[in-house]
Amino acid sequence: MITIHKGHIFHIAGAPMVTAAAEALAWFPNGALAIDRSGRIVYCGNWADRPAGLDGSQVIDHHGCYILPGFVDTHMHFPQVFCAGAYGGGQLLEWLNNCVFPSEGLLADPEYARTAANEWCDRMINSGTTMGLIFGSAFPHAQDFLFETARERGLRIVCGRGVETIAPEWSKQRTTEEEAVRLVRAEIEKWHPLTPEARKVALQFVAIVPRFSLSVTPKTLAALGDLYHEYRDRGVYFTSHLNENARPKTGEIDSTKAVYKVAAYLDTYDGKFLPGSQVGGKSFLGKRSVFAHCAHCTDKELARLAESGSSIAHCPVSQLFLGSGTMPWRRTVAAGVNIAIGSDYGGGDEFFVPQILNACFKAHISEGIPVGMDSYPSDDQSISLHPAELLFTGTLAGARALDQEDRFGNFDVGKEADFVVMDPSKCNTYAMTLKHMYKNPVTKLARDAQLFAVIMLARESVVSGTYVRGRKLKTSKG
Ligand code: GUN
Ligand code: ZN
């Protein structure tokens, strides 16, 4: 049995680099997305051109709606589900100490943690996020609730308990180094698909997640490195924060370099965490490793990320909120590192990926633009990102960052059908703008302008369906 979803389709076809996303943009205003019983795509194209073999299929007509690949959020914090918009009275480190560490401690209560897991999965479904790379809670019961709820609802997640072996005295999340390794191993054994057969069909995966280098000891990094080495061939992931806050002396980057006495922050994750960047353990870098922010990497760090196949989770909303600056788009792309989008919720106060792409566009068209007129820079960093580059960053780049580009991220035939249906009739401004906006007679320009508005003006309320592997997901409210 084949099901055809009719609607206005956009996706990034094939496997382009971000710089070739515009050429790879596929557009079918009267489109058909045909899916077989196993949830795989058998056709994506014009409704009128569908193969005769599809006659007799069940048809779901999303009349007037847009169909895009499911959004992939490569950096989000589950235990911060109720702490967006938290006032920390400063930048990253003040916000962590004053708001985030105490909030995350609330998940020690199992009832609270259950509510948090439920709400988290509801939000992913309501916002069309079909896959999330998630910083988890330090509490095993909270992690169990999240994995169980994601499994029940059919959501894709990669998640791992946040490891802290250094934390304020009052923190409930700190463990010893031995306990940290024991708990991470237990989580992998319980929730990660350990065989190749299981991995091919799994939707939930485990990551090793030291909160950031300042939250762990060199001994923890060495032990987690050994653990990662033991499991990395079985598809276990790694994620952490890198080069986020550049405030001189007291900020995250300078503090990390001072504590570890290393030449570069990345060295702490690359096995070179001993003084003088000497090797002290195994590297976490690789094609299933994602580093959040990377707003202040050196050229050498970017080159090392690229060469190792690691990806960046770019979190523009959070970077604005926490005064982190922004990831330099041109330089990072030029270095060849894959850039995917991240909400960094609750450091970012926005869950909905199109709105994070909206911030991404604004951050980079404004990048390096000075306040005064006198000092307009000669090395202009401003870039007007193409709407296809935005769509790529919010979908296919995320699948690539998670080394699952062969399974989802676009509508190529054979992939699993993860998609989001956006219904303009649910938001008057959206509907009226898309209907009445100027349509350039040059088809390509009309296409690009339409996709741009579809992304930039979308609000969570327009999401009318979120599908993973062809199946519509249900929230706790049905
Ligand atoms: N660095 C360490 N922990 C965090 C966190 O929770 N959010 C962000 N944005 N940065 C971090
Ligand atoms: Zn984060």
Side-chain angles (χ1 to χ4, degrees), residues 86-101 212 243-255 293 295-296 318-326 344 346-347:
Y87 180 66
Q91 296 185 355
L92 173 67
L93 298 183
E94 293 78 29
W95 172 79
L96 284 174
N97 278 308
N98 296 334
C99 306
V100 171
F101 295 155
F212 62 167
N243 286 323
E244 179 177 2
N245 184 281
R247 191 171 57 199
K249 295 198 177 73
T250 54
E252 174 222 23
I253 299 171
D254 275 2
S255 300
H293 299 291
H296 310 280
S318 159
Q319 285 153 14
L320 266 174
F321 180 72
L322 291 171
S324 308
T326 191
D344 195 21

Side-chain angles (χ1 to χ4, degrees), residues 320-366:
L320 266 174
F321 180 72
L322 291 171
S324 308
T326 191
M327 184 207 72
W329 185 274
R330 288 175 185 273
R331 200 159 67 81
T332 311
V333 168
V337 194
N338 178 48
I339 303 166
I341 209 71
S343 61
D344 195 21
Y345 203 89
D349 56 351
E350 179 61 62
F351 218 90
F352 188 43
V353 164
Q355 276 302 301
I356 303 160
L357 297 172
N358 172 312
C360 181
F361 179 82
K362 291 170 182 166
H364 297 297
I365 199 164
S366 306

Side-chain angles (χ1 to χ4, degrees), residues 81 122 132-133 137 145 160 203 261 264 314 322 452 471-472:
V81 59
D122 278 1
L133 171 55
S137 166
F145 289 142
L203 298 180
K261 302 187 177 57
H314 177 30
L322 291 171
F452 191 63
R471 195 168 70 86
K472 189 170 184 185

Side-chain angles (χ1 to χ4, degrees), residues 128-139:
T129 299
T130 49
M131 167 59 110
L133 171 55
I134 305 169
F135 262 64
S137 166
F139 306 113

Side-chain angles (χ1 to χ4, degrees), residues 102-297:
S103 299
E104 293 190 358
L106 297 173
L107 276 80
D109 171 6
E111 265 324 294
Y112 188 97
R114 192 190 290 278
T115 305
N118 204 42
E119 173 67 12
W120 185 268
C121 293
D122 278 1
R123 282 204 207 158
M124 283 184 68
I125 295 169
N126 285 332
S127 55
T129 299
T130 49
M131 167 59 110
L133 171 55
I134 305 169
F135 262 64
S137 166
F139 306 113
H141 59 261
Q143 288 297 93
D144 285 347
F145 289 142
L146 183 66
F147 276 110
E148 275 161 18
T149 314
R151 188 174 59 188
E152 277 164 27
R153 306 274 173 81
L155 273 167
R156 295 185 199 267
I157 62 168
V158 177
C159 184
R161 68 181 305 276
V163 174
E164 295 172 40
T165 50
I166 298 177
E169 258 319 291
W170 43 263
S171 167
K172 297 181 187 162
Q173 293 162 192
R174 189 188 48 219
T175 66
T176 61
E177 284 103 352
E178 291 74 20
E179 187 71 346
V181 173
R182 188 185 70 73
L183 289 170
V184 175
R185 183 189 291 283
E187 186 168 84
I188 293 171
E189 291 288 334
K190 185 165 187 181
W191 291 109
H192 189 75
L194 288 166
T195 64
E197 300 74 42
R199 268 197 301 287
K200 269 187 212 144
V201 294
L203 298 180
Q204 291 91 36
F205 303 81
V206 175
I208 293 182
V209 187
R211 176 165 213 132
F212 62 167
S213 300
L214 289 176
S215 288
V216 289
T217 61
K219 191 173 158 195
T220 316
L221 286 174
L224 290 180
D226 287 342
L227 191 68
Y228 190 49
H229 193 68
E230 191 181 327
Y231 283 103
R232 70 186 300 162
D233 289 345
R234 284 178 275 175
V236 166
Y237 290 84
F238 173 84
T239 192
S240 195
H241 297 92
L242 176 66
N243 286 323
E244 179 177 2
N245 184 281
R247 191 171 57 199
K249 295 198 177 73
T250 54
E252 174 222 23
I253 299 171
D254 275 2
S255 300
T256 305
K257 289 205 240 172
V259 168
Y260 282 88
K261 302 187 177 57
V262 287
Y265 191 163
L266 183 62
D267 291 344
T268 61
Y269 300 124
D270 202 8
K272 298 184 280 183
F273 49 75
L274 296 182
S277 293
Q278 286 185 71
V279 174
K282 306 210 167 52
S283 174
F284 293 111
L285 275 58
K287 63 180 177 177
R288 277 184 298 278
S289 302
V290 180
F291 293 90
H293 299 291
C294 298
H296 310 280
C297 285

